[in-house]
Amino acid sequence: GVGAARAGNLTFMVGGVEQEFDAAKELLTCMGSNVVYCGAVGTGQAAKICNNMLLAISMIGTAEAMNLGIR
């Protein structure tokens, strides 16, 4: 999120050719504290989608629990 970006604590999930990842890693570590190589092209994006889906499921569960508690 914005707070992590300002603090330089972003996580980068990167897919692509490993040699190109190695070349870009130094630049990415200037912006984030966690840089993860995920494999072939597209795997970084797939990992990010999975992470976002897990967060959404967690938030839906929290909202449903709050709704139940209020009722």
Side-chain angles (χ1 to χ4, degrees):
V2 174
R6 286 191 180 128
N9 293 327
L10 293 173
T11 295
F12 291 95
M13 294 170 248
V14 183
V17 178
E18 192 165 6
Q19 292 81 4
E20 292 174 3
F21 165 76
D22 291 337
K25 186 174 181 180
E26 184 177 346
L27 177 62
L28 294 174
T29 56
C30 293
M31 298 181 285
S33 58
N34 194 15
V35 181
V36 180
Y37 179 67
C38 297
V41 172
T43 56
Q45 188 172 12
K48 174 74 173 163
I49 290 168
C50 291
N51 188 48
N52 285 352
M53 184 171 40
L54 182 59
L55 176 61
I57 291 167
S58 174
M59 293 306 293
I60 290 167
T62 301
E64 288 297 328
M66 289 296 294
N67 189 30
L68 182 62
I70 290 168
R71 286 181 184 193

